[in-house]
């Protein structure tokens, strides 16, 4: 930890000058000027946005902490935004973001330091490689650093005990600082910063006003989310088919989602394969992503891969995405079985292999790992498509090794069938995963439509319905959601697997 020692000593280091001050020994502006000379790295792939500058200007008059206060800048807001995005990616709630931002303000004044001026402390949380927090390059990556902070917070506060209690004391238990009273004074500023950046649920829409039949009005042109293209590209992946699953996730922790392709094994003996394409453009100044190969490897799934569905998550909290495979049939137990391959071993070693309480089924299941009950253990959210009116959603308890449900199975209202692509993610940032059902054909609008079912309502209430700019499509396209541009809004990712003019897999991102 880099929390200042109780003096106003000026320390000269080889790559910069850092002024280390005890809390309260100088105003936040003086501390900011001193801290600014220590080299730091951007917290966002595209740097500080105009929106970050606007938020900083709005907050400056009301922040009064010792380490941030009226020195808040667009850069510090961009770093807070990176922390909050990582908290939301873990499925944790707004309080977890307040705790994390409080810790980062106290440790670094929300600066991503790349040079250590106190022992070997680095990054937003001033974590030390010598104390097992991670490698130097990892600790200056806001995503890795935040996940490392959250991992320790959950370990130190089991059964969701971080949900209550003094924020400063929680930060101290995580960070183990020589100055345990330094965190609490920053909670006020952290709460205001998080409140300004945390996505808020929209109020319910008013009922439509009926128009007189004799005065028909013209239908409005489509507007709103999923109409503006953020990126369109031909990828380096060849044409794909039903054997290929596509996942969009940030594999290399550069804060830009990558394209992950799982190719199932075949009855003819071809092994299962994992390919990962870089989300960042190969050439600076272009928007053409998914060109550069980050990884390609054979994965040891054998024939089981042919009957599995897949998800990516950091299962063991080491900052690396692991591959979870849910084998739906053909298992020794006669139940659906979960297997997790360790990302740190490049997916050659098992982290977990276990039977679940799910009956054997088909590949129409979609699942995601989430800490549903905040006990520090990953649970499974599983939805099964249905040809009838309503799909089944279940939450399996990780603490029971997925043998028990955390709540009664929910019946999702409305059709959720083979016309839909499904994603389970926290849409509105309330700490509960939601179900995103993307209907690709058979809609009344004759366009692809997005429907979000609220996890907080046990998936029985619509959070949002949106008509997109994408016309009707079929299984040649896989459609999912991901925050492509780091604005904390989920964007629509359209992967066309076959039937492209380029003869390769193509991708298009529509802004959320």
């Amino acid at each position: 930890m880099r929390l200042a020692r109780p003096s106003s000593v000026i320390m000269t280091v080889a790559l910069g000058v850092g002024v280390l001050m005890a809390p309260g020994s100088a105003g936040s502006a003086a501390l900011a000027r001193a801290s600014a000379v220590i080299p730091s790295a951007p917290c966002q792939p595209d740097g500080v946005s105009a929106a970050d500058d606007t938020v900083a200007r709005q907050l400056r008059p009301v922040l009064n902490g010792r380490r941030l206060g009226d020195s808040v800048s667009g850069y510090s807001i961009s770093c807070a935004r990176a922390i909050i995005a990582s908290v939301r990616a873990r499925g944790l709630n707004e309080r977890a973001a307040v705790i994390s931002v409080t810790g980062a303000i106290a440790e670094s004044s929300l600066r991503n330091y790349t040079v250590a001026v106190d022992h070997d402390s680095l990054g937003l949380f001033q974590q030390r490689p010598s104390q097992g927090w991670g490698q130097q390059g990892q600790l200056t990556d806001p995503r890795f650093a935040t996940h490392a902070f959250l991992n320790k917070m959950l370990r130190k506060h089991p059964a969701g005990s971080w949900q209550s209690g003094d924020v400063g004391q929680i930060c101290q238990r995580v960070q183990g600082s020589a100055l345990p009273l330094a965190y609490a004074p920053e909670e006020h500023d952290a709460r205001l910063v998080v409140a300004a950046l945390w996505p808020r649920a929209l109020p319910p829409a008013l009922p439509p006003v009926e128009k007189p039949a004799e005065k028909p009005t013209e239908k409005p042109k489509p507007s709103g989310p999923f109409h503006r293209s953020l990126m369109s590209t031909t990828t380096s992946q060849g044409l794909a088919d039903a054997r290929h699953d596509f996942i969009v996730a940030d594999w290399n922790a550069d804060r830009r989602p990558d394209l992950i392709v799982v190719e199932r094994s075949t009855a003819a003996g071809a092994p299962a394969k994992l390919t990962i394409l870089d989300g960042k453009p190969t050439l600076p100044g272009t928007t053409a992503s998914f060109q550069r190969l980050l990884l390609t490897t054979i994965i040891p799934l054998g024939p089981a891969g042919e009957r599995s569905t897949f998800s990516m998550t950091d299962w063991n909290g080491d900052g690396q995405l692991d591959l979870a495979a849910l084998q739906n049939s053909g298992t020794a137990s006669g139940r659906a079985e979960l297997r997790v391959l360790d990302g740190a071993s490049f997916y050659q070693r098992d982290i977990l292999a276990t039977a679940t309480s799910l009956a054997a089924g088909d590949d129409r299941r979609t699942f995601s790992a989430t800490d549903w009950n905040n006990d520090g253990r990953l649970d499974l959210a599983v939805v099964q498509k249905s040809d009838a009116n309503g799909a089944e959603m279940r939450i399996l308890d990780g603490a029971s090794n997925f043998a028990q449900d955390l709540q009664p199975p929910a019946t999702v209202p409305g059709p959720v069938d083979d016309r839909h692509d499904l994603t389970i993610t926290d849409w509105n940032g309330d700490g509960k995963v939601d179900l995103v059902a993307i209907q690709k054909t058979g809609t009344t609008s004759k366009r692809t439509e997005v429907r979000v079912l609220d996890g907080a309502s046990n998936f029985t209430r619509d959070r949002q319905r949106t008509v997109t700019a994408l016309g009707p499509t079929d299984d040649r396209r896989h459609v999912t959601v991901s925050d492509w541009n780091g604005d904390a809004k989920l964007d629509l990712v359209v992967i066309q697997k076959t039937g492209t003019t380029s003869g390769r897999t193509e991708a298009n991102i529509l802004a959320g």
Side-chain angles (χ1 to χ4, degrees):
M1 309 310 118
R2 195 195 69 87
L3 277 176
R5 300 296 183 261
S7 68
S8 298
V9 178
I10 299 178
M11 179 179 291
T12 305
V13 295
L15 296 179
V17 179
V19 181
L20 304 184
M21 302 181 184
S25 64
S28 58
L31 183 60
R33 288 193 297 272
S35 302
V37 300
I38 306 172
S40 56
C43 288
Q44 298 289 344
D46 300 323
V48 178
S49 70
D52 294 329
D53 289 329
T54 298
V55 171
R57 284 195 302 271
Q58 292 171 341
L59 289 176
R60 199 167 291 130
V62 295
L63 299 186
N64 58 16
R66 298 167 179 173
R67 293 187 170 270
L68 189 61
D70 58 7
S71 69
V72 65
S73 65
Y75 171 76
S76 45
I77 293 300
S78 74
C79 291
R81 185 157 56 86
I83 293 171
I84 291 168
S86 295
V87 170
R88 294 187 64 227
R90 289 287 289 268
L92 298 175
N93 62 20
E94 191 169 347
R95 178 175 168 84
V98 170
I99 296 169
S100 303
V101 174
T102 298
I105 292 175
E107 293 286 354
S108 69
S109 302
L110 283 177
R111 298 194 68 86
N112 188 21
Y113 290 123
T114 57
V115 171
V117 294
D118 177 39
H119 295 89
D120 55 345
S121 300
L122 292 168
L124 288 167
F125 296 91
Q126 290 292 280
Q127 294 151 328
R128 299 181 61 184
S130 63
Q131 300 299 315
W133 283 95
Q135 299 175 5
Q136 290 186 5
Q138 293 174 320
L139 298 181
T140 55
D141 169 23
R143 177 185 179 275
F144 181 95
T146 304
H147 282 298
F149 180 93
L150 294 170
N151 290 341
K152 194 167 182 181
M153 181 188 78
L154 294 173
R155 287 197 301 272
K156 291 280 186 177
H157 302 85
S161 57
W162 58 270
Q163 297 270 24
S164 60
D166 182 78
V167 168
Q169 292 178 10
I170 293 171
C171 288
Q172 170 61 15
R173 281 192 287 269
V174 174
Q175 297 289 91
S177 169
L179 298 173
L181 302 180
Y183 299 103
E186 314 309 328
E187 181 185 350
H188 169 268
D189 284 6
R191 286 190 179 279
L192 292 177
V193 170
V194 172
L197 298 176
W198 193 268
R200 302 295 167 188
L202 295 174
L206 294 174
V209 178
E210 289 189 12
K211 301 291 183 180
E214 64 273 16
K215 295 180 180 178
T217 56
E218 221 177 279
K219 286 185 179 179
K221 293 181 179 179
S223 61
F226 312 132
H227 283 78
R228 178 172 60 90
S229 179
L230 294 174
M231 190 275 292
S232 184
T233 187
T234 298
T235 75
S236 59
Q237 167 72 31
L239 295 178
D241 54 29
R243 292 181 301 121
H244 296 80
D245 267 12
F246 289 85
I247 304 168
V248 181
D250 184 6
W251 182 78
N252 57 350
D254 64 353
R255 302 182 293 284
R256 176 57 64 85
D258 307 302
L259 185 62
I260 301 164
V261 188
V262 184
E263 184 175 350
R264 294 178 175 86
S265 56
T266 66
K273 184 171 74 170
L274 183 72
T275 301
I276 304 177
L277 303 177
D278 193 359
K280 279 198 170 178
T282 305
L283 299 174
T286 70
T287 60
S289 300
F290 309 139
Q291 308 295 316
R292 186 167 71 93
L293 184 67
L294 294 174
L295 177 71
T296 182
T297 185
I298 302 299
I299 48 178
L301 290 178
E306 189 179 356
R307 299 181 290 272
S308 298
T309 50
F310 302 93
S311 177
M312 277 286 205
T313 190
D314 182 3
W315 193 272
N316 55 355
D318 64 353
Q320 303 263 3
L321 287 179
D322 309 304
L323 179 66
L326 186 65
Q327 184 178 347
N328 294 295
S329 62
T331 62
S333 65
R335 317 289 298 174
E337 295 183 358
L338 178 68
R339 186 174 174 193
V340 182
L341 299 179
D342 186 12
S345 73
F346 294 100
Y347 309 101
Q348 302 306 304
R349 184 177 64 242
D350 283 341
I351 294 175
L352 174 72
T354 185
T356 73
S357 62
L358 295 168
D362 53 32
D363 63 359
R364 298 197 300 169
R365 282 185 175 128
T366 297
F367 74 100
S368 179
T370 179
D371 186 2
W372 181 266
N373 57 348
N374 294 316
D375 65 351
R377 299 286 296 270
L378 286 176
D379 312 303
L380 280 190
V382 187
V383 62
Q384 171 80 50
K385 291 180 183 177
S386 172
D387 293 326
N389 189 29
E392 183 181 69
M393 171 68 79
R394 293 178 63 182
I395 310 293
L396 303 183
D397 185 12
S400 73
N401 218 23
F402 314 109
Q404 297 176 1
D405 289 82
L406 282 172
Q407 59 189 30
T411 299
V412 179
V416 182
D417 52 28
D418 288 337
R419 298 173 298 171
H420 296 77
D421 282 344
L422 305 179
T423 301
I424 301 172
T425 187
D426 185 359
W427 178 272
N428 56 338
D430 64 353
K432 293 289 187 184
V433 291
D434 309 299
L435 176 62
V436 183
I438 303 167
Q439 186 170 344
K440 300 187 292 185
T441 186
T443 61
T444 55
S445 65
K446 303 193 184 306
R447 308 196 74 79
T448 294
E449 296 183 2
V450 175
R451 179 185 178 207
V452 182
L453 291 124
D454 187 16
S457 74
N458 203 19
F459 309 99
T460 59
R461 184 179 68 242
D462 282 352
R463 166 66 58 182
Q464 181 170 327
R465 284 180 180 262
T466 304
V467 177
T468 74
L470 184 66
T473 185
D474 50 28
D475 285 341
R476 292 178 299 173
R477 286 190 176 100
H478 173 71
V479 189
T480 185
V481 292
S482 180
D483 183 3
W484 178 257
N485 55 354
D487 64 353
K489 294 180 180 179
L490 291 174
D491 308 303
L492 198 68
V493 183
V494 185
I495 309 295
Q496 184 163 352
K497 300 183 287 186
T498 188
T500 60
T501 55
S502 64
R504 307 194 71 78
T505 294
E506 295 179 357
N508 186 25
I509 315 288
L510 298 178

